[in-house]
């Protein structure tokens, strides 16, 4: 059985000085994930591991390096899905945890639910023994500076976040995700984000919504999305890509055609 792994560090314009750190981070996650996959690791373990590496990397908008919301807090979204039995777990607007993707996996494996949000998600993480931290531990200087710029009236930073014509330095730094196929023929996908610039407290984007940010079905394929969550949510981007695979489309065509669906809501993503 062939094995496969894809990881991403988000879409959009990357400022020149962030290109190298972004590429290095994606490469490290791919290598770390690939090693496990080649050793016979399960697709589920591999996507969790790859996304954890990206959450640790401050180059990306996930885990450490997350964007700040309009109250100056880090609230993160993440999800994970196993394609064998369509099991899934997700957390929305969770605070104070190091690895939201691992909490999502715990929700999947240790709770009767698919998604937990806010304080409930954090309480669950604490009880499940997840690694906790303070907002300060997740905060990097770049995001603090962006927050202060927005608060002092630079609205363009928010308005142009998903504008492909925007200046590179105004672009977001990237939600992260991974999809894998293991030797047993199982697929898995995972996605994690700090969300969008200056989002309202409590805002939940596409990332933790199964079928929007993440989807995996052993019979057809798996996908992880990034981009403007409010658009991706309304077209259920990853499920729509996997539906195209189910109808026989090649992966690239399936992705392209699913992305065309975003035009209807004037959404942007990848
Ligand atoms: N999709 C993410 C969100 O809307 C952001 C991103 O992918 O950059 O929360």
């Amino acid at each position: 059985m062939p094995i496969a792994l894809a990881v991403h560090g988000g879409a959009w314009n990357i400022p020149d000085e962030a290109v190298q750190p972004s590429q290095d981070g994606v490469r490290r996650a791919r290598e770390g994930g690939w090693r496990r996959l080649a050793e016979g690791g399960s697709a589920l373990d591999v996507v969790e591991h790859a996304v954890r590496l990206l959450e640790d990397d401050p180059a990306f908008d996930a885990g450490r390096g997350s964007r700040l919301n309009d109250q100056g807090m880090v609230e993160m979204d993440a999800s994970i899905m196993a394609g064998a039995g369509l099991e899934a777990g997700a957390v929305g607007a969770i605070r104070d945890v190091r690895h939201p993707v691992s909490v999502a996996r715990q929700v999947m494996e240790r709770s009767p639910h698919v998604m937990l949000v806010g304080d409930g998600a954090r309480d669950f993480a604490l009880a499940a023994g997840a690694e906790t931290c303070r907002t300060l531990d997740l905060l990097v200087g770049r995001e603090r500076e962006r927050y202060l710029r927005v608060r002092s009236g630079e609205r363009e930073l928010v308005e142009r976040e998903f504008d492909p014509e925007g200046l590179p330095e105004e672009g977001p730094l990237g939600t992260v995700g991974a999809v894998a196929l293991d030797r047993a023929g199982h697929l898995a996908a995972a996605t994690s984000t700090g969300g969008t610039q200056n989002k309202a407290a409590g805002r939940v984007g596409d990332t933790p919504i199964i079928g929007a940010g993440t989807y995996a079905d052993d019979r057809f394929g798996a996908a992880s999305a990034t981009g403007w969550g409010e658009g991706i949510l309304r077209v259920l981007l990853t499920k729509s890509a996997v539906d195209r695979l189910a109808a026989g489309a090649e992966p690239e065509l399936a992705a392209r055609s699913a992305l065309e669906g975003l035009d209807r809501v004037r959404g942007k993503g990848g």
Side-chain angles (χ1 to χ4, degrees):
M1 190 75 197
I3 54 174
L5 172 67
V7 305
H8 73 81
W12 314 110
N13 308 319
I14 302 178
D16 287 346
E17 69 281 6
V19 168
Q20 198 59 46
S22 297
Q23 287 180 345
D24 290 348
V26 166
R27 199 172 297 120
R28 267 194 301 272
R30 188 196 64 197
E31 286 168 3
W34 188 258
R35 214 171 300 124
R36 290 200 174 198
L37 201 55
E39 284 164 2
S42 74
L44 194 63
D45 283 345
V46 166
V47 294
E48 181 189 0
H49 180 63
V51 168
R52 282 175 67 100
L53 292 173
L54 293 159
E55 285 174 342
D56 281 337
D57 191 328
F60 305 103
D61 171 25
R64 186 153 173 266
S66 286
R67 295 241 179 283
L68 294 175
N69 68 14
D70 65 357
Q71 295 181 357
M73 297 302 296
V74 170
E75 288 186 339
M76 299 164 289
D77 298 338
S79 61
I80 191 163
M81 184 162 187
L86 305 185
E87 294 98 357
V91 288
I94 189 169
R95 293 183 181 185
D96 305 336
V97 296
R98 279 261 177 217
H99 293 111
V101 71
S102 295
V103 184
R105 182 166 178 182
Q106 286 175 314
V107 171
M108 174 175 120
E109 292 179 339
R110 297 211 211 163
S111 89
H113 307 300
V114 169
M115 180 158 78
L116 295 174
V117 302
D119 290 346
R122 188 177 43 182
D123 292 348
F124 170 84
L126 279 172
E131 194 182 342
T132 52
C133 62
R134 302 163 305 162
T135 286
L136 264 185
D137 301 320
L138 301 170
L139 182 63
V140 297
R142 169 194 78 222
E143 296 307 329
R144 184 168 179 279
E145 192 208 317
R146 288 176 67 100
Y147 174 74
L148 293 175
R149 282 168 67 191
V150 172
R151 303 313 288 175
S152 67
E154 261 189 78
R155 296 294 309 168
E156 309 85 67
L157 268 185
V158 179
E159 281 146 22
R160 294 171 66 186
E161 185 169 21
F162 291 100
D163 180 357
E165 311 297 320
L167 297 172
E169 62 270 23
E170 312 299 11
L173 284 128
T175 288
V176 304
V179 300
L181 169 68
D182 65 25
R183 276 206 196 125
H186 295 309
L187 281 163
T191 314
S192 181
T193 189
T196 49
Q197 181 82 54
N198 204 46
K199 64 184 181 179
R203 178 264 191 187
V204 173
D206 59 300
T207 302
I209 306 300
I210 299 305
T214 301
Y215 204 73
D217 182 338
D218 275 9
R219 295 174 304 167
F220 308 122
S224 165
T226 174
W228 180 51
E230 280 70 8
I232 294 172
L233 268 170
R234 284 177 286 156
V235 301
L236 293 175
L237 187 59
T238 53
K239 176 66 162 67
S240 122
V242 172
D243 282 347
R244 284 162 169 80
L245 294 172
E250 290 296 317
E252 187 174 338
L253 194 71
R256 280 188 190 285
S257 142
L259 286 169
E260 277 163 23
L262 274 178
D263 292 347
R264 185 130 181 253
V265 290
R266 293 204 300 278
K268 300 194 173 74

